[in-house]
Amino acid sequence: MKFSVFQVSRKGGREKNEDRMGYCYTRESGLFVLADGMGGHPEGEVAAQLALQTVSALFQREARPQVRNTGEFLAAALMAAHQQIVRYASERGMLDTPRTTLVAAVVQGSGATWVHCGDSRLYLVRDGQLLTRTRDHSYLEQHAAGVIRLEQVNRNILFTCLGSPTKPVFDVTGPMSLQQGDKLLLCSDGLWGSLSDAEIVRQLSAKPVSDAVPDLVEAALRSGGPHSDNVTVVALEWETPDAFESSHGVSTDSISDGVFASTIQSGVLDTLIDDLDDAAIERSIAEINEAIRRSAARKS
């Protein structure tokens, strides 16, 4: 498995940067994840970091060296991250819980699968064209998709996130087959809130990710001005074994079975993740499968 990858997070005009991102991989599978801690609630950076560490810890446990079912894994990992954030707040007697968005993708074989909750996005670009992107869990995006009527509500308000009192709403997409040169970009709303989809696709298509990502982030900060949001991006270019020439390339061929590489920082919050047990993960999977079953029954 070979790919080029680049990640960066820049503080805008906010008091602090609550965005977090990173990736880890085995010989045959890669996880790319980004979270944006939500302002207006306490310790958004903790929620984002907990989400990253939880999903990463589960990936390192499940990818041996591949994840058996990528969609099921991502849904269960997202729910586990949500539960860890709620638990963190409960153990500290917090009146309000830390909250975060999340977008995460698993790439293995020749396909990509991703999950998202909130308004952190994933873009898939091929041959200079936007193949697909995630749809935000905001009233504006859902109205545009014809899901809800937009009346007297704040268009940009999110109706779901990790850490909220209610169970998160999320979408799983894939697996989608990847072709040589395909680019996946995960970003916080600091990027797409300042740059159009067309501009993101144009710059991402014109350069290697190691050049395109810093330029996109800089353009977003300039556009946002002195009060710009924080801007965080992790992007990869998928490369087949016979076409591996771009910079910041990663080849997993030299990784031994059972070995992981990661840019996701560990820390004192790891003690919470250590308590993740199989029963908790199985409960999450069971809840997800039951929700899918009920949805299918309603449609039929």
Side-chain angles (χ1 to χ4, degrees), residues 76-126:
L78 180 145
M79 287 301 301
H82 167 70
Q83 290 160 5
Q84 292 287 43
I85 295 168
V86 172
R87 176 184 168 188
Y88 174 89
S90 176
E91 289 181 342
R92 286 155 181 78
M94 300 175 71
L95 298 179
D96 189 15
T97 54
R99 306 184 191 190
T100 185
T101 67
L102 181 74
V103 58
V106 170
V107 176
Q108 65 182 33
S110 59
T113 305
W114 55 88
V115 66
H116 80 286
C117 176
D119 62 356
S120 290
R121 291 182 179 178
L122 180 145
Y123 291 78
L124 174 56
V125 175
R126 175 178 297 164

Side-chain angles (χ1 to χ4, degrees), residues 42-236:
E43 300 187 36
E45 72 282 5
V46 172
Q49 185 66 24
L50 264 178
L52 251 68
Q53 291 182 203
T54 302
V55 175
S56 173
L58 292 176
F59 176 79
Q60 294 187 36
R61 191 171 74 178
E62 298 296 322
R64 301 292 178 175
Q66 288 193 349
V67 174
R68 184 173 57 182
N69 183 311
T70 52
E72 221 175 66
F73 162 77
L74 285 167
L78 180 145
M79 287 301 301
H82 167 70
Q83 290 160 5
Q84 292 287 43
I85 295 168
V86 172
R87 176 184 168 188
Y88 174 89
S90 176
E91 289 181 342
R92 286 155 181 78
M94 300 175 71
L95 298 179
D96 189 15
T97 54
R99 306 184 191 190
T100 185
T101 67
L102 181 74
V103 58
V106 170
V107 176
Q108 65 182 33
S110 59
T113 305
W114 55 88
V115 66
H116 80 286
C117 176
D119 62 356
S120 290
R121 291 182 179 178
L122 180 145
Y123 291 78
L124 174 56
V125 175
R126 175 178 297 164
D127 296 329
Q129 302 294 320
L130 178 61
L131 198 60
T132 187
R133 77 158 170 85
T134 54
R135 295 294 166 186
D136 310 333
H137 294 116
S138 67
Y139 292 107
L140 177 61
E141 284 271 285
Q142 297 300 307
H143 169 70
V147 177
I148 64 169
R149 294 178 61 188
L150 190 61
E151 296 175 343
Q152 302 301 317
V153 296
N154 187 324
R155 300 185 305 169
N156 296 314
I157 287 179
L158 299 181
F159 57 80
T160 191
C161 62
L162 273 63
S164 64
T166 56
K167 184 179 296 186
V169 175
F170 59 89
D171 294 310
V172 177
T173 305
M176 294 189 66
S177 295
L178 296 178
Q179 297 180 10
Q180 163 64 27
D182 283 357
K183 293 177 179 178
L184 282 171
L185 180 143
L186 287 67
C187 67
S188 64
D189 63 339
L191 185 78
W192 63 259
S194 295
L195 302 178
S196 67
D197 285 359
E199 179 63 13
I200 292 171
V201 171
R202 185 188 69 80
Q203 291 206 42
L204 191 62
S205 302
K207 313 167 189 174
V209 291
S210 57
D211 295 328
V213 169
D215 289 350
L216 280 167
V217 170
E218 187 62 34
L221 290 171
R222 285 199 306 270
S223 177
H227 302 293
S228 67
D229 198 354
N230 306 310
V231 185
T232 301
V233 179
V234 54
L236 69 106

